[in-house]
Structure formats: C-alpha cells, structure tokens
C-alpha cells in the first residue's frame, strides 16, 4: 500500500478521535436545548431524541477537523440539517394538533407513548403550519441566534434569512392568534 | 407610512433589521396607531412564548455515548494544541466549560494547553523536508507542501501579477511586536506574511475578515528565523500563513491578531483582485482510461494565477481484472505532470472525500499553451477488500492546454428565459441548447422557473430542453403521472386537494373519488387499471377500478385524532399498495395492503412493517418489499410477512448512515444510496448487491449529496438530483460519464422525480 495513502488515512482516523470527558461536557450542556429545539421541529419526542443522537454523533466525528468559532451555532446547524434531512426523507408528513388530540379524548398512554408532555399546544399547533425551514428559522431566533447565525445554519445569505424570518414570524403570528377576537376583526 | 406599509416591516423592526430612516418612520406610525401597536405586541409576545416553549418542551436523553469509549492516544485537546482552528474550538469549549460546574476539573486540567505554541508532531500532519524554510505547522489534515517553491516565492510571483499588496505596518500584539508585511491572493489561496519579535505568533490568533464580513481562518503556515540582512531583528521569525481564497470582488481585507492576553489588533489593507476575474472557468476535461480493471478519470483543471488544481480519481470498474500489488512511496513519487516536456512542481495533493481515491493535485505555474502530460504510475483504490488496494498502471493523459475549454474568462451560465406566468401555462424552456443524450423515457421533475414558485417540468427523452408542464400560484407539492393517459395528478401547497392536468399544461378538474369527494392523494396503478385515493382528511384510503367501479375501503385509521395516511405507492405488478400511517408523537409505520385484481371484489389484506423506514423498493414482481433504515436493509415477503435482514457486511460497520433511494432492479439486484452520515447533506455512494445482500460493492462513488435518484425503467441507468444543486444528472449506466440536464432549473427543497409512463 502506498505510504502517502496510509498516512492520509491515518490522519483522517486520528481527527475523528476526541477526548471523551471534554465532549461529554458539550453534550451535557447542549443535549436538552438541542433535543427541545428538535422536538419543536418534528413534534415527536422519540424522533427528536433520535435526531439529537444523530446530531451529537455527527459533532463527535467532525469536531477535531472542523473549524469552529461558534460552538452553539455549529451544533444547532448540525441539528437543523438532521431535522431538514428527516423531512426530505419522510416527505413532510402533516401533523395533528395537540389540541385536537386532547379535544378528541386521545390518551397517548393507551398507545404506549406516555412520555410526551403537553406544555404548549397552541405554540405547537402554530409551528406545525410552517414550512420546515421557516420553522427552523423561527425556533433558532427564539433560541437567541442572530439572523447572521441563522443564515449560516440554514446555508443561505443573511438577507435571505431575514426575509425568511419575517415571513415565518408573520405566518406564526397568524396561526398562533387565529381565533383571537381582535384577529378575527382584523381579517 | 400607512398601516399597510408598516405591518410587513414590524418583524424586521423588532429584529433590528430595518434601516434607521425606515425604522424611524415605522416608529412614528406606531406611536399613533393602536392597531399596529397591537400587532407589534403580538410579534414580541410570540417570540417570548416560543422562547419559553423551547425551555419547557419535552425531551428524552440520548442513549448512545460512543465518546465514553476508552480515551484514544491523541485526544481532542491534543488537536487543540496543534491547529489554529482547533484552538478556536477549544476556546469556545473553555468558555462553555466555565459555565458547566461539573466540568471544572477538566477545565483545570486543560488550562495550559490552548496557550501552548504549535508543536510539530507526526499527528499534526507535519512533514519536515530537507529544504528550508522548515515547515512549522499545519492546521489542516492535508499533507503540507511536498516540494519547492515556498510561500515567499509564491507571493513574489503573485506580486508580478499585481496580486500582492504591501502593508509593512508594525503593531504591538500582546507581548510581541508584529510587522505585517504583505498580503497576496490567488484563486484558491490567500497568503499573509508577517514577522514577530519572539517566535511565531500562534496562527490560531490570526484571521482575515473581508469587507463583507466573511472570516477566513488559517489552513497552513510556515515559519523560519529571520535571515541576516532582511531588516528584521535576528531573534524574530517570519511567518507565512495560507488562508482560503478571497472573492475577486473584495476590495478590503482586515488582518486581525487576537493574542491570548491583550486586545485584538487589526490592520486593514486595500486590495484589487481584478486579475483573478480574468482567470478561465474550470475546464471539465472528463478524460478516462482503464488499465488493469481500474478506471482513472481526469476530471477538472482549474487554473490559478500561480497555483492551479488538477482533479482526478481512480475507481475499480472490473474488480476481477484488478491485480493488487505491494506498494510503497508517497503520491508525488507516482504522479508525473509535465508541461511541454518539463516536469511541473507538485505543491501538494488533497484527498477529496473520506473513502475515495479522488485527488486534487496542486501544481505550480501551469503554462497556458502546449502539451500537458499526466502519468499515474500506480494508484490505490478502495472498496475492493475493505481497505486500499494498490494497482499498477500507468494511466496516462495528454492534453492540449490551448483547448478552448480551458481558456477564456469564466462566464456565468446562460440566463434563464423568463417563463410565462399565467397559471397554469406551459412555457418555453430556458435551456438554449440540447445535450447529446437519450433517456429511456420522458422524466417529470419539480423545479422553479425564474422568479416563480415550484412547478412541474418534463425533461424530454431526447435530451432537449425541459418544458414547464404546470405551474400554480403556490409551490407544487406532489404529483403522480397517470399511466396510459395524457394526464398527471398534481397538488399545490396552498390546497390539500389533488387536481388533474394534461401533459401539455392544462388543468382539467379536481381529482376525486367516484363519489365526487376530493382527495389528498390520487395514485394510479402501473397498468392504469386501478386508482388509490387518500381522503382529504387523510383518515382513510380507498381503491377502485379506473372506471370508478368496485370502490372499496382499504384502511381507516384507528385513532382518527392522531393518525394520518401518506405516500401511497403501487407494486409494479399485481395490486398491492404500500402506504404509511403517521401518528403524532409516535412516528410512522408502513403498511402493505393486497387489494386484488381489476375484476375482483376488493378484499384488502393489510400488514404493518416492523420498523420505521427511510426508503422502500418493490421487487420486480411485486411479491416482496425491501426497505432501509439507518442501520440496515430488510426485505419482507408480502404473502406471509416473513422478514429478512439483507444488510451487506460492508454497511454493517456500526456507522449510522442514511440508506436511501432504494431500488430493486429488474435483474434481481438491489441498489441503494449510502450517505456518509445520517443526513442527505453528506456525500453518497451508490451500492449494488444481490437481493440477499451478498456481493455488495460500491458501484459509483461520490455522487455528492444525493437527494432523489430514480433508476430508468430498464434498470440500465439512473437520474439524480443533489441537495442544493441545479438541474438533473443522468448516468446512462454505472460506468457512464454523468450528463447534466436541465441545468438552468432550480429544484428547490425536497426534489421529486418520476419517469413518464411508469
């Protein structure tokens, strides 16, 4: 085998090695925020956990060889990619709103999914009406990222991110306040 | 400003994106308009509620923690000590750890490491050469320079081309005094030269920022002691740092030094990179030659002002003909590049992709005319035996450098011709010339006309320009060709109901069930004899004969408040359906339903698959269904539900991959696209295997981040799209050169493809 190739392969293997305690500290700090963000994206606790798992596995593999200046932004970018990739593969299943579930008397524990906790059904109901990228944009903004960072995470220009963010905020507002007496009057 | 002007600007106002004059006008209006004030409060409240939601949403901890495995010999912090960008990662982590109480011990243990200077080690990718100056460090896994010339000479060369810019400014940086001497730019690389009074300043503390705010970080650097007569104090060193290339339109660059202690120091330099704009576009050579079962392809030559890139790769095309050999020596010993009879210095090579013999060779001073001769004496290919196999050549290419394809300035792709926007209206294609290609059938795909929403296009089989078939007011959401008719069922994003259109673009009527009810999916069987319908509320699936007779219920969801039906597909033969039942908070499951023949009374038999799947493929006879997950590939016998795992050993290495675009070929083999990780954004290879998973091999490498891939009905070739890519790519076979089609059409997200007539 050629020496150059062996050296190159060895280097690639080496950069995939990371220090366990240091990386576990990253996971400990970011696991819950990333999982909650992904739950907001996909509306499924189990799926969000799988995507969180994928996110940290990807980060673990990439960390030593990737230029990073914004660790949080980088992790959310990986998470966003995994969520959007999920939607690409699954072709965007529609959601069923939690409020409708509850109104219909649906008991998730009967079907073996008792872990899920309903905290903000109105928020979720509004989120699910957004395009996945708009949803990501809005959740990233709510998580505290700037439009510049959102642009980096979505792989678009800052201008495009600002446009998308405005559109997402308007779509969310309309959905979230649907049924408000004032909103009805507003038309 | 009126309310109608103010309201669209409110989100931007709240996010601080409005220019000051506009913001002032909006604020003035707000002060006097209670209705707009209410809207503004809503926007602010929404963000507050979303932030609270993100703090309280349910979550479950992950289960796999492979990083808890035994500590490797060279750890993360070792990488931090070596490379500049790793240092940046380390700094971010240090900041993070400061917030994580549990990591306090780790923080103490690492406190001194990030500040350490670069230490040449075997792991850092450093190869010292006998020529001076000595290579001091590299921040990239790429091999460093393999031979002269060095950075100083490169900068001199670029100065003669008008692409080096003197700075000569001395500043105190932390405890040192730094003289920033000059900046130079080539197509791929930007070079910075500076001296420092006490050893080299760690390049983790240096970055460039162009006038658009783009930050460039070091990739490779060298240092050497200052030479006598250079005007630099003897104790000082000179450092050359390589950064990625600058955009030719950049006019100003800021050099920023951020010492471990003290304030950052910035030095600005004006640049004029106009000569870079005159460089020719990349020359896609695509020459190939096969020796000993291995095909070597010369892909692209991209000319720089001083340093040019030659891309090539080698792939096994006939595994039985490959004769492995024992080999030794580095790449540069086995690659010869000559121009007009003289050997060109190879600066370095870069392997592209993680497991492929796909190489970019950087050469110095590629002539503009004459003969280029490239010889590969031996290559190493992967995928034959799990590792690399060295194969003897030689593979040789001789090119005329004056080839028109290599010359002339880079020109933008032809501007798409504006499409007519009447809804729906067929429009002329934006592609002016037809590629020489013959597809097995016409191909439908979803793409975006200029300034338009996603619409349905038809790529003719003769390779001529694609035609816009139907366009709505909103994005096209889904489509289903109706076999043996001139019709296609379409659904747009602003309407959950399906419509029927003709292939020439006329919308006909709503697609309905025989009783007139609108539907969310309308899927005809391959022989056109039966139609499957998903009700508009997605709670039931129905099937009837094409004439509307024998309407029968196939599936009614068990929990109507929580479950919905999606993605119906027919088996290629017989009358078997596959669809998915999605349940809120519980994912989705595929169900298979046998629904009888065209003249039979429908008596559905349904069977649920064991796992949530990423992709499905029917067997050619329709009696089995293969499906893929992150961890494997399975096949299920429809008649009795017996399931068999057929994941080939090569894809069972523990890596979680997106295994997608599954297809069961007519000859019985199964094809699958394997991404390098769990997303479709990573590069992908096409694998072929027998239907029991045996004899799996990587048939086509590095297809890019494949999004959709459809095999031709004949099974000979396939067409694909990539994430974020333009147009389509056609492979007439796994050995054929890729042919771009519909290059001017933007596909948008979630691209879809379907062959006309099946």
């Amino acid at each position: 085998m050629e020496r150059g190739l062996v050296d190159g392969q060895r280097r690639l293997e080496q950069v995939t090695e990371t220090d366990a305690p240091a990386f576990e500290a990253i996971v400990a700090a970011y696991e819950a925020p990333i999982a909650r963000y992904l739950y907001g994206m996909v509306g499924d606790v189990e799926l969000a956990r799988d995507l969180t798992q994928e996110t940290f596995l990807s980060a673990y593999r990439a960390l030593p060889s990737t230029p990073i200046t914004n660790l949080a932004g980088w992790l959310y970018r990986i998470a966003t990619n995994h969520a959007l990739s999920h939607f690409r593969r699954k072709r965007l299943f529609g959601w069923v709103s939690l409020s409708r579930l509850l109104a219909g008397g649906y008991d998730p524990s009967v079907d073996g999914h008792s872990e899920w906790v309903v905290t903000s059904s109105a928020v979720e109901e509004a989120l699910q009406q957004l395009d996945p990228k708009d949803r990501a944009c809005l959740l990233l903004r709510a998580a505290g990222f700037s439009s510049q960072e959102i642009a980096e995470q979505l792989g678009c220009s800052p201008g495009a991110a600002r446009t998308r963010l405005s559109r997402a905020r308007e779509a969310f507002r309309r959905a979230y306040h649907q049924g408000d007496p004032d909103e009805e009057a507003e038309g | 400003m009126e309310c109608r002007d103010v309201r669209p600007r409110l989100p931007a106002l709240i996010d601080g994106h409005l220019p000051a004059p506009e913001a002032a006008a909006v604020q003035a209006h707000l002060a006097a308009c209670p209705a707009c004030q209410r809207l503004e409060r809503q926007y602010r409240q929404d963000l507050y509620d979303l932030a609270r939601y993100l703090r309280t949403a349910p979550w479950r901890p992950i289960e796999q923690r492979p990083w808890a495995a035994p500590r490797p010999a060279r750890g993360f912090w070792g990488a931090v000590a070596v490379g500049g960008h790793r240092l940046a990662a380390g700094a971010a982590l240090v900041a993070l750890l400061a917030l994580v109480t549990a990591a306090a011990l780790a923080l103490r243990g690492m406190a001194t490491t990030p500040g350490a200077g670069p230490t040449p080690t075997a792991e850092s990718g450093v190869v010292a050469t006998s020529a001076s100056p000595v290579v001091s460090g590299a921040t990239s896994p790429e091999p460093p320079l393999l031979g002269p010339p060095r950075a100083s000479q490169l900068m001199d060369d670029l100065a003669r081309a008008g692409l080096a810019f003197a700075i000569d400014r001395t500043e105190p940086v932390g405890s040192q005094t730094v003289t920033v001497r000059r900046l130079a730019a080539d197509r791929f690389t930007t070079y910075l030269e500076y001296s420092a009074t006490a050893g080299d300043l760690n390049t983790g503390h240096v970055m460039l920022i162009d006038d658009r705010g783009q930050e460039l970080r070091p990739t490779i650097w060298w240092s050497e002691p200052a030479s006598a007569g250079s005007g630099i104090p003897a104790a000082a060193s000179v450092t050359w740092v390589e950064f990625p290339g600058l955009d030719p339109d950049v006019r100003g660059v800021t050099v920023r030094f951020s010492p471990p202690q003290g304030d950052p120091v910035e030095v600005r330099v004006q640049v004029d990179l106009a000569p870079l704009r005159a460089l020719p576009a990349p020359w896609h050579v695509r020459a190939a030659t096969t020796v000993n079962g291995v095909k070597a392809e010369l892909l692209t030559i991209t000319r720089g002002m001083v340093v040019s890139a030659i891309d090539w790769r080698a792939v096994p095309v006939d595994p039985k003909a490959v004769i492995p050999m024992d080999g030794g020596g580095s790449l540069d010993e086995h690659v010869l590049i000559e121009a007009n009879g003289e050997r060109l210095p190879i600066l370095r090579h870069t392997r592209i992709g993680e497991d492929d013999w796909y190489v970019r060779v950087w050469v110095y001073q590629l002539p503009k005319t004459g003969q280029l001769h490239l010889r590969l004496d031996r290559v190493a290919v992967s995928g034959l035996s799990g590792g690399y196999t060295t194969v003897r050549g030689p593979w040789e290419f001789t090119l005329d450098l004056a080839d028109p394809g290599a010359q002339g300035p880079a020109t933008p792709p032809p501007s798409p011709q504006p499409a007519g926007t009447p809804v729906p209206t067929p429009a002329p294609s934006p592609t002016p010339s037809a590629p020489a290609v013959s597809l097995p059938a016409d191909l439908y795909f979803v793409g975006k006309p200029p300034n338009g929403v996603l619409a349905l296009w038809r790529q003719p089989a003769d390779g001529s320009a694609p035609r816009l078939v139907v366009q709505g007011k909103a994005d096209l959401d889904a489509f289903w060709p109706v076999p043996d008719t001139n019709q296609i069922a379409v659904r747009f994003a602003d309407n959950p109901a399906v419509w029927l259109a003709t292939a020439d673009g006329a919308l006909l009527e709503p697609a309905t069930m025989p009783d007139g009810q609108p539907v969310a999916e309308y899927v005809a069987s391959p022989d056109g004899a039966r139609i499957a319908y998903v009700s508009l509320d997605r709670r039931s699936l129905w099937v009837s004969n094409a004439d509307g007779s024998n309407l029968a219920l196939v599936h009614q969801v068990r929990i109507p408040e929580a479950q919905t039906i999606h993605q119906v597909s027919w088996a290629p033969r017989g009358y078997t359906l596959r669809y998915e039942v999605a349940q809120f908070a519980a994912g989705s499951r595929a169900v298979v339903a046998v629904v009888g023949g065209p003249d039979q009374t429908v008596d559905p038999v349904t069977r649920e698959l064991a796992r949530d799947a990423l992709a499905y493929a029917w067997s050619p006879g329709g009696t089995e269904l293969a499906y893929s997950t992150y961890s494997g590939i399975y096949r299920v016998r429809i008649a009795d539900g017996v399931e068999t795992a057929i994941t080939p050993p090569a894809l069972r290495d523990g890596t979680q991959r997106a295994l997608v675009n599954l297809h069961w070929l007519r000859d019985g083999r199964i094809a699958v696209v394997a991404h390098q990780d769990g997303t479709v954004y990573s590069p992908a290879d096409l694998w072929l295997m027998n239907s029991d998973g045996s004899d799996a091999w990587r048939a086509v490498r590095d297809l890019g981040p494949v999004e959709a891939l459809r095999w031709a009905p004949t099974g000979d070739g396939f067409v694909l799209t990539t994430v974020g890519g333009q147009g389509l790519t056609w492979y007439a076979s796994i050995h054929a050169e890729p042919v771009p089609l519909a290059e001017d059409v933007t596909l948008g997200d979630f691209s879809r493809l379907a062959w006309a007539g099946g």
Side-chain angles (χ1 to χ4, degrees):
Chain A
M1 187 175 298
E2 293 190 37
R3 191 187 68 219
L5 286 176
V6 175
D7 289 345
Q9 179 64 27
R10 189 176 298 137
R11 254 179 238 119
L12 282 169
E13 288 165 1
Q14 283 158 351
V15 298
T16 61
E17 296 167 353
T18 56
D19 184 278
F23 192 77
E24 181 58 34
I26 294 178
V27 177
Y30 281 98
E31 183 178 5
I34 292 282
R36 284 174 164 147
Y37 163 69
L38 287 167
Y39 175 78
M41 285 294 293
V42 301
D44 180 336
V45 175
E46 290 298 328
L47 177 57
R49 178 171 69 165
D50 290 348
L51 294 174
T52 306
Q53 178 81 70
E54 285 291 312
T55 298
F56 285 109
L57 283 173
S58 298
Y60 177 62
R61 292 188 195 110
L63 189 54
S65 60
T66 304
I68 305 160
T69 54
N70 180 343
L71 183 61
W74 180 64
L75 289 172
Y76 274 83
R77 177 177 190 165
I78 297 173
T80 303
N81 276 348
H82 277 288
L84 294 178
S85 187
H86 165 79
F87 286 120
R88 285 175 186 273
R89 290 191 301 266
K90 301 302 289 184
R91 295 287 184 254
L92 277 174
F93 283 154
W95 282 17
V96 179
S97 77
L98 288 169
S99 56
R100 284 180 61 183
L101 291 185
L102 296 171
Y106 173 57
D107 179 359
S109 63
V110 172
D111 219 45
H113 305 284
S114 56
E115 299 85 358
W116 67 303
V117 180
V118 179
T119 57
S120 304
S121 63
V123 170
E124 290 181 6
E125 195 168 347
L127 277 177
Q128 71 185 261
Q129 296 182 33
L130 304 186
D131 166 271
K133 274 194 175 174
D134 288 353
R135 198 182 306 157
C137 202
L138 196 58
L139 288 171
L140 290 168
R141 183 76 186 89
F145 290 103
S146 68
S147 55
Q148 173 76 39
E149 289 171 313
I150 293 170
E152 289 167 6
Q153 284 156 4
L154 295 181
C156 61
S157 69
R162 285 195 288 272
T163 302
R164 188 177 280 278
L165 183 57
S166 284
R167 189 175 71 196
R169 291 189 68 147
E170 171 59 10
F172 181 84
R173 189 193 66 79
R174 284 188 179 280
Y176 191 44
H177 297 280
Q178 194 174 26
D180 289 1
D182 289 346
E183 192 68 18
E184 297 298 323
E186 197 70 37
Chain B
M1 274 192 175
E2 303 295 326
C3 293
R4 65 173 178 273
D5 305 314
V6 166
R7 292 180 180 184
R9 291 176 166 82
L10 288 176
L13 175 78
I14 293 165
D15 288 326
H17 298 151
L18 272 191
E22 254 183 86
V26 171
Q27 293 282 17
H29 175 91
L30 275 176
C33 178
C36 288
Q37 286 172 14
R38 185 177 62 79
L39 271 183
E40 191 219 8
R41 281 197 303 275
Q42 278 187 352
Y43 281 124
R44 292 188 189 278
Q45 182 67 38
D46 291 352
L47 205 58
Y48 174 81
D49 287 354
L50 278 165
R52 188 179 56 184
Y53 169 78
L54 284 178
R55 290 195 300 272
T56 58
W59 69 283
R60 299 190 67 194
I62 58 177
E63 292 176 337
Q64 296 176 40
R65 287 175 141 74
W67 44 88
R71 182 189 179 100
R74 172 178 172 266
F76 172 66
W77 288 102
V80 168
V82 171
H85 62 260
R86 289 162 200 156
L87 187 65
L93 190 54
V94 167
L96 163 67
L97 291 177
L99 300 174
V100 181
T101 308
L105 283 176
L107 182 64
R108 261 203 310 278
M110 299 161 186
T112 58
T113 311
T119 306
T121 66
E123 292 84 357
S124 69
V126 173
V127 176
T129 65
S130 56
S132 63
V134 173
V135 173
S136 173
T139 61
S140 131
E142 298 172 7
L145 285 181
L146 297 175
R150 304 294 184 191
S152 180
Q153 183 180 343
L154 290 173
M155 295 185 85
D156 291 343
D157 293 334
L158 289 168
R160 284 188 280 278
L163 285 167
F165 309 94
I167 303 172
D168 290 325
R169 197 166 136 191
T170 301
E171 296 284 343
V173 177
S175 59
Q176 306 193 50
T177 300
V178 171
T179 299
V180 188
R181 302 172 72 178
R182 56 179 172 166
L183 183 90
D186 201 346
R187 184 173 200 149
F188 298 99
T189 309
T190 309
Y191 304 89
L192 176 71
E193 182 181 271
Y194 66 85
S195 61
T197 49
D200 63 321
L201 189 68
N202 191 317
T203 55
H205 304 139
V206 187
M207 67 188 294
L208 303 182
I209 306 159
D210 70 20
D211 54 11
R212 300 159 177 192
Q214 183 77 29
E215 297 178 353
L216 306 179
R217 297 185 178 278
T219 52
I220 294 180
W221 80 94
W222 307 266
S223 284
E224 68 169 351
S227 57
S230 65
I232 301 171
S237 66
V238 182
T239 298
W240 293 270
V241 189
E242 282 191 18
F243 297 87
L246 289 163
D247 188 296
D249 291 331
V250 165
R251 297 286 182 184
V253 177
T254 299
V255 183
R256 178 185 292 169
F257 293 90
S258 303
Q261 285 88 34
D263 296 329
V265 175
E266 294 188 346
V267 175
R268 272 190 62 78
V269 55
Q270 297 297 315
V271 298
D272 177 4
L273 307 179
L276 291 181
R277 281 198 290 272
L279 288 171
W283 177 17
H284 298 290
V285 182
R286 298 200 182 282
T289 179
T290 298
V291 175
N292 292 335
V294 170
K295 181 170 73 170
E297 298 173 86
L298 184 54
L299 301 172
T300 309
I301 297 177
T302 310
R303 186 182 293 282
M305 192 60 71
V306 175
V307 178
S308 300
I310 299 177
D311 295 354
W312 59 276
R313 67 178 171 182
V315 291
V317 293
D318 183 1
K320 291 176 183 167
V322 171
I323 304 172
M325 60 173 288
D326 294 329
S330 60
L331 174 79
D332 55 321
E333 296 166 11
H334 299 300
V335 178
L336 173 75
I337 301 179
E338 289 179 336
N340 303 319
E342 289 192 15
R343 186 164 187 168
L344 293 182
I346 296 176
L347 297 180
R348 63 173 174 271
H349 64 269
T350 308
R351 204 173 51 151
I352 302 172
E354 291 209 353
D355 58 354
D356 198 0
W357 188 231
Y358 184 132
V359 174
R360 169 166 289 180
V361 177
W362 304 86
V363 297
Y364 175 67
Q365 296 288 24
L366 181 66
K368 291 179 180 166
T369 58
Q371 293 278 312
L372 179 75
H373 179 78
L374 184 142
R375 191 182 80 215
L376 313 171
D377 285 335
R378 59 181 66 174
V379 299
V381 293
S382 61
L384 292 173
S385 59
Y388 284 101
T389 304
T390 305
V391 185
R392 188 189 302 278
W395 296 260
E396 295 191 76
F397 304 88
T398 301
L399 303 167
D400 181 358
L401 286 170
D403 187 295
Q407 305 300 323
T411 52
S415 229
Q417 173 184 335
T421 49
V423 181
T425 306
S429 161
T431 307
S433 60
V437 63
S438 176
L439 304 179
D442 284 6
L443 182 79
Y444 287 109
F445 66 98
V446 179
K448 194 176 286 188
N451 303 317
V453 295
L454 289 175
L456 184 66
W457 296 72
R458 186 173 176 128
Q459 170 61 56
D462 62 7
S464 59
R467 310 285 301 180
L468 187 63
V469 177
V470 62
Q471 181 181 10
K473 292 175 182 171
D475 285 343
L476 184 80
D477 197 29
F479 68 92
W480 302 267
V482 183
D484 300 329
T485 72
N486 190 32
Q487 295 181 358
I488 186 160
V490 293
R491 193 182 67 221
F492 297 97
D494 60 348
N495 187 340
V498 176
W499 285 67
L500 287 172
T502 62
D504 59 6
L507 265 191
L508 296 176
E509 57 190 0
T512 65
M513 291 176 35
D515 61 3
Q517 294 293 317
V519 296
E521 294 188 22
Y522 182 97
V523 191
S525 61
D527 63 2
R530 317 211 80 189
I531 310 286
Y533 318 89
V534 174
S535 61
L536 202 58
D537 64 2
R538 293 193 175 274
R539 301 310 195 258
S540 58
L541 171 64
W542 302 74
V543 66
S544 79
N545 291 336
D547 62 6
S549 61
N550 275 349
L551 177 67
L553 177 66
V554 177
H555 191 119
Q556 180 86 47
V557 297
R558 191 166 49 87
I559 311 169
E561 301 84 2
Q563 294 178 325
T564 47
I565 296 171
H566 305 261
Q567 304 208 34
V568 174
S569 84
W570 285 95
R573 277 191 237 158
Y575 299 95
T576 307
L577 289 167
R578 193 269 304 160
Y579 53 96
E580 295 206 20
V581 177
Q583 180 170 325
F584 188 84
S588 59
R589 283 283 182 276
V591 180
V592 174
V594 181
V595 294
D599 301 321
Q600 296 171 349
T601 302
V602 172
D603 183 17
V605 177
T606 60
R607 191 180 301 284
E608 188 173 291
L609 297 192
R611 299 170 188 80
D612 191 5
L614 297 177
Y616 306 91
W618 287 104
S619 66
T623 56
E624 291 190 72
L625 185 70
Y627 68 95
S628 60
T629 68
Y630 285 110
S631 56
I633 305 170
Y634 308 84
R635 54 190 278 193
V636 179
R637 210 157 55 201
I638 303 302
D640 54 13
V642 170
E643 181 173 302
T644 311
I646 57 170
T647 320
L651 294 175
R652 283 202 309 252
D653 58 0
T655 303
Q656 288 228 329
R657 296 184 178 88
L659 298 172
V660 291
N661 286 298
L662 203 61
H663 189 85
W664 207 320
L665 298 167
R666 279 187 179 178
D667 63 10
R669 291 181 299 168
I670 288 177
V672 65
V673 169
H675 289 264
Q676 288 179 2
D677 65 21
T679 76
V680 296
Y681 300 92
S682 58
D685 302 320
L686 177 68
W687 288 70
L688 287 174
M689 67 194 77
N690 294 331
S691 60
D692 61 359
S694 62
D695 289 341
W697 64 296
R698 214 178 327 225
V700 186
R701 295 158 187 279
D702 196 22
L703 291 168
V706 175
E707 172 140 29
L709 185 149
R710 291 288 176 277
W711 283 81
T714 57
D716 293 332
F718 56 88
V719 66
L720 63 83
T721 66
T722 54
V723 176
Q726 288 274 120
L728 318 166
T729 304
W730 162 246
Y731 287 76
S733 74
I734 58 170
H735 304 303
E737 296 297 326
V739 177
L741 294 167
E743 291 178 273
D744 300 328
V745 180
T746 301
L747 300 184
D749 293 339
F750 316 115
S751 59
R752 271 148 253 172
L753 304 168
W755 295 101

